[in-house]
Amino acid sequence: MIIILAFLLISSVHATKVNDTMAKVEELLHKHRGFEALQVLAFYRPEEKEVYRYHRLYADAAEMTGKLYEAIKHLRLAYIYAPEEEKEKLLLDRGRMYLRMKHYPEAMTTFRLFLKLYPNSAFRQEVYYYLAEALIKSGLFTEALKYYEKAGDSIKALYGKANALQAIGMTKKAYKLYLSLLEKDSDFLKNSPETRFYLGENLRLMGRLEDARLYLTSIRESPLRYRAYISLGLIALKKKRYREAIKDLQLSLQSPERDVRRKALLLLAETYIKIGKKKEAKKQLITIKNSYPFGEDYDRASLLLARIYREEGDFLRAKRLLKDLVFRLKPYEGAMEELKELILHAKKTKQEEFIKLWREMGRLFMSTSYERFLLQVVVDLKNTGKPYYDLCRWLFENGSKKTRRQAALLLAEFYSEIGKAELALRFLRMADRRNDKYRRLLIRSYILEGNYRKALRVFKSLKNIKSEDISELLLIAMKEEEAVEILRRTIKRVRPPVETYVKIADLLYKKNYKTEALKYYRLALSDKAKTNVSNRDLEWAFYRVSYLSNRIVSENTDLVEDPIIKKMLLVYTQEKRVSETMERIFNGFGSTK
C-alpha cells in the first residue's frame, strides 16, 4: 500500500512538471520570446502523450524565430501524432508554411490533399485562395484563375483573380476588374508588390504608360523589381527613349532569375538593332546563345543573330542557326521567312552559296504557300541539273494553274536544251502560248525535230525579234529558201550575234549575195567582233575578204594558222600576182601597137 501511494505521488509530481514546462513554453510564445521557448524545448524530452503538443509548440517557436525548415519538420511530426480533430488545422498550417517558404510545389500538394481529405471544411475558401497563390507563383495561371474564382469575393481573392487574368493575357477583362477594385480598396496594393507589378503591366498594355510607370517604380522588393525594370524598359522603348530603355534593361540584368536576365538581354539586343548598333546587339545575342539555352527568348535570339550574320554575308553561321529553328516538327515562327531572305540574298551575291543552301534546305519550301518564292528561285537554279528539274517538275505538278503553265514552259526549255524535241513539244502544249518565249521554244523544238517549215511559220509570228533569234533563223534559212529573204531583211533591222557573222556571210555567199556576204566577213574581222569570233572563223573570213574584194588583204600569211586556209590563201595570192603580171604585159602590147 505504501509503495502504491509513493508511485502515485511521483507520477503526480512528474505530470505537474510536464504541465509546467508546456505552460512555460506557451507563455514564452505568447510574449513573442521564441528563442527562449526553443531553448526550453531543446532540453525537454516529452512523454508519449505530450509528443503532439511538444511538436506543435516547437513548430510555432521555430516559425517565430524564422527557422522555417525546423518549423515545417515539426509540423509534419505534429500531424503524425495529433488527434484526428487537430489534423485539419495542422495540414492547413503546413501548406501556409510551404507557401511562406516559397516551396510552391509542396504547397500545392498539401492544399490539394487538404481539399481531398476535408472537402466540406470551414477553411475551404481560404485553402482555395492559398492554392491559387501557389499556382500563380508557379506560372500555372489558368489553374490559378479557377481557384481564385472559388475563393470568394474577398478583396485579396479578387485582386488575385485580376492578376491571373492579366497573366493569361485577358488584359481588358483584368483592366475592368482592377478599376473596380481600386475604387473599393486601393490599400491592398501597399502590401502586395505582385499585384502592383501585374497592375503596372496591365496599364502598360492598355496604353496608360505614365500610370503604369508609377506602379512599376514603386516596386522595391527583390526579385520582382527586376521584372519591373523590364516593363519600365518597354515603356521607354514605346516612347522611343532608347537611352532610358537601355539603362532599365541593364538594371534588370542583376536579377537572380535566369529567365529575367535572358529576357533583358534579348530586349537590349532588339533596342541596339533599332538604333543601328548591330555590334552591341550581336554581343547580347551571343551571350544568350552561350549562356541561356532553350526557350522562346533563346529561339528569338537565334533568329535575330541569323539575320545579322546574313546582313554581314556570313551565310555559314546564319545557316547553322536557322537549321536549328526550321528542322522541327513545327518551325519557329519567322525562321522560314528569314531562311527565304538568306537564300534570296545568296542568290544575288554568291551563286555558289545559293546553290549549296538550296541543295541542303530547299525541300523545306516544297509547299504551295511558298509558290511565289519558288518561282523566284527556279530561274537561278537553271544550270544545277537535277535540283532545277525537280523544282520545275514539282511546280508543274503542284502549283496553281498559272504556275503550272510557267513550269511547263521551263520544262520545255529544259528538254529542248538537252535535245529532246518530243518531250519539249509535249510540255509546250501545256504552257502559256501568249508570249514570245513560248514561240521561241517552239521554234527551237521544231528545228530539233527537223521540221524547218513549221519553225519558219512560228518565227513569222514573233512579236519582238531579238538578236539571239537570228541564230535560229539562220538554221532555218539553211534548209528553207523562203527564210533566206526573211534573214536578209531581219539582219538589216536587228544586229545578229557576233558569233554568227561568218555563218551568215557563208549563207549569203552561197545564195549569191556576195556584196552582203563581204560585209559580214569584214564585220567578223572588225576589232569589236574579233574577241567573240573563233580563230577558225576569223581565218576563214580573212580568206573570203581577200577573195571577194579581189585583192590581197595582207602579205603576212603567218597570221593564219589553219594549214588548209593558209594554203588556199597562198594559192590565191600567187594567182592574183600572175593575173596582175599578165594584165600589165597585155596592156604593154596594146600601147606599143
Side-chain angles (χ1 to χ4, degrees), residues 300-346:
R300 174 71 179 160
S302 297
L303 183 64
L304 292 176
L305 192 56
R307 189 171 298 162
I308 290 173
Y309 283 137
R310 187 245 304 166
E311 290 168 355
E312 292 176 346
D314 193 339
F315 297 107
L316 183 60
R317 281 196 174 96
K319 180 184 73 174
R320 284 174 181 166
L321 290 170
L322 290 172
K323 280 177 72 174
D324 181 53
L325 298 174
V326 298
F327 285 115
R328 299 178 177 182
L329 188 61
K330 184 180 179 182
Y332 178 70
E333 185 179 358
M336 289 297 290
E337 286 301 311
E338 181 55 35
L339 181 57
K340 271 173 59 179
E341 292 301 317
L342 181 65
I343 289 170
L344 291 173
H345 190 74

Side-chain angles (χ1 to χ4, degrees), residues 368 371 375 395-396 398-406:
T368 52
E371 187 175 289
L375 288 170
L395 289 167
F396 177 73
N398 300 282
S400 62
K401 186 176 180 180
K402 183 180 178 180
T403 296
R404 287 200 299 272
R405 288 200 299 265
Q406 288 176 268

Side-chain angles (χ1 to χ4, degrees), residues 357-529:
L357 277 167
W358 186 260
R359 286 180 186 275
E360 192 171 346
M361 307 175 82
R363 66 183 182 279
L364 295 172
F365 294 98
M366 294 304 188
S367 164
T368 52
S369 59
Y370 294 110
E371 187 175 289
R372 189 175 176 182
F373 168 66
L374 294 174
L375 288 170
Q376 283 179 278
V377 167
V378 68
V379 177
D380 291 85
L381 288 171
K382 188 171 181 182
N383 296 318
T384 61
K386 191 174 186 301
Y388 173 72
Y389 174 81
D390 287 346
L391 181 51
C392 289
R393 192 80 199 192
W394 188 92
L395 289 167
F396 177 73
E397 292 172 355
N398 300 282
S400 62
K401 186 176 180 180
K402 183 180 178 180
T403 296
R404 287 200 299 272
R405 288 200 299 265
Q406 288 176 268
L409 203 62
L410 294 173
L411 285 165
E413 184 178 25
F414 174 81
Y415 282 117
S416 70
E417 286 178 353
I418 62 173
K420 295 190 176 182
E422 184 182 347
L423 287 170
L425 288 167
R426 184 188 302 173
F427 281 103
L428 282 171
R429 283 193 287 271
M430 294 176 277
D432 188 346
R433 305 183 181 191
R434 295 169 296 178
N435 56 66
D436 275 352
K437 183 172 183 179
Y438 164 79
R439 297 181 186 93
R440 288 186 178 96
L441 286 171
L442 198 56
I443 291 165
R444 190 182 303 169
S445 300
Y446 282 143
I447 290 171
L448 283 170
E449 200 179 41
N451 199 331
Y452 296 97
R453 187 169 294 280
K454 280 187 177 180
L456 179 59
R457 189 162 62 242
V458 177
F459 188 91
K460 290 177 182 178
S461 69
L462 284 175
K463 304 294 183 185
N464 180 28
I465 297 174
K466 297 180 180 179
S467 176
E468 56 266 27
D469 297 326
I470 294 172
S471 298
E472 267 74 32
L473 180 57
L474 179 60
L475 291 171
I476 297 168
M478 290 177 181
K479 300 292 183 178
E480 291 290 326
E481 192 67 32
E482 183 187 351
V484 177
E485 289 304 315
I486 296 173
L487 177 66
R488 288 180 66 208
R489 291 197 302 269
T490 303
I491 59 179
K492 287 176 182 177
R493 294 183 293 107
V494 181
R495 183 181 290 274
V498 171
E499 59 271 19
T500 65
Y501 284 170
V502 175
K503 290 182 176 64
I504 289 171
D506 284 344
L507 179 66
L508 292 171
Y509 180 84
K510 183 180 178 182
K511 299 299 181 181
N512 211 29
Y513 298 111
K514 294 183 178 178
T515 303
E516 293 172 44
L518 179 59
K519 172 187 172 183
Y520 280 96
Y521 284 130
R522 281 177 170 159
L523 282 172
L525 294 171
S526 66
D527 290 337
K528 288 183 179 179

Side-chain angles (χ1 to χ4, degrees), residues 62 74 76 147 186 192 348 464:
H74 286 278
R76 284 198 298 267
Y147 285 103
S186 60
S192 178
K348 290 178 183 176
N464 180 28

Side-chain angles (χ1 to χ4, degrees), residues 209-406:
L209 302 184
E210 289 306 317
D211 291 336
R213 174 181 276 280
L214 286 173
Y215 287 108
L216 292 167
T217 52
S218 73
I219 299 169
R220 290 287 177 265
E221 294 82 357
S222 180
L224 200 59
R225 64 173 172 167
Y226 300 110
R227 291 184 179 270
Y229 281 134
I230 286 183
S231 298
L232 290 167
L234 289 168
I235 291 172
L237 282 174
K238 187 77 173 176
K239 295 187 173 186
K240 297 184 178 180
R241 297 174 182 168
Y242 297 117
R243 285 188 181 180
E244 186 181 326
I246 290 169
K247 180 182 175 183
D248 287 327
L249 293 170
Q250 285 175 336
L251 285 170
S252 66
L253 289 175
Q254 299 171 36
S255 173
E257 298 176 288
R258 284 176 59 82
D259 63 325
V260 174
R261 296 198 302 273
R262 182 171 54 218
K263 185 70 174 177
L265 286 166
L266 180 61
L267 288 170
L268 272 172
E270 290 177 334
T271 305
Y272 284 128
I273 288 170
K274 283 181 181 178
I275 60 177
K277 292 187 174 182
K278 299 278 180 71
K279 189 175 180 181
E280 288 299 319
K282 194 173 171 182
K283 285 181 185 177
Q284 314 305 318
L285 296 170
I286 289 172
T287 301
I288 294 173
K289 289 291 295 175
N290 292 340
S291 304
Y292 300 90
F294 312 115
E296 169 67 23
D297 292 337
Y298 177 82
D299 289 342
R300 174 71 179 160
S302 297
L303 183 64
L304 292 176
L305 192 56
R307 189 171 298 162
I308 290 173
Y309 283 137
R310 187 245 304 166
E311 290 168 355
E312 292 176 346
D314 193 339
F315 297 107
L316 183 60
R317 281 196 174 96
K319 180 184 73 174
R320 284 174 181 166
L321 290 170
L322 290 172
K323 280 177 72 174
D324 181 53
L325 298 174
V326 298
F327 285 115
R328 299 178 177 182
L329 188 61
K330 184 180 179 182
Y332 178 70
E333 185 179 358
M336 289 297 290
E337 286 301 311
E338 181 55 35
L339 181 57
K340 271 173 59 179
E341 292 301 317
L342 181 65
I343 289 170
L344 291 173
H345 190 74
K347 185 169 79 76
K348 290 178 183 176
T349 56
K350 292 184 179 179
Q351 183 70 10
E352 187 179 337
E353 289 295 333
F354 160 66
I355 292 169
K356 282 182 184 177
L357 277 167
W358 186 260
R359 286 180 186 275
E360 192 171 346
M361 307 175 82
R363 66 183 182 279
L364 295 172
F365 294 98
M366 294 304 188
S367 164
T368 52
S369 59
Y370 294 110
E371 187 175 289
R372 189 175 176 182
F373 168 66
L374 294 174
L375 288 170
Q376 283 179 278
V377 167
V378 68
V379 177
D380 291 85
L381 288 171
K382 188 171 181 182
N383 296 318
T384 61
K386 191 174 186 301
Y388 173 72
Y389 174 81
D390 287 346
L391 181 51
C392 289
R393 192 80 199 192
W394 188 92
L395 289 167
F396 177 73
E397 292 172 355
N398 300 282
S400 62
K401 186 176 180 180
K402 183 180 178 180
T403 296
R404 287 200 299 272
R405 288 200 299 265
Q406 288 176 268

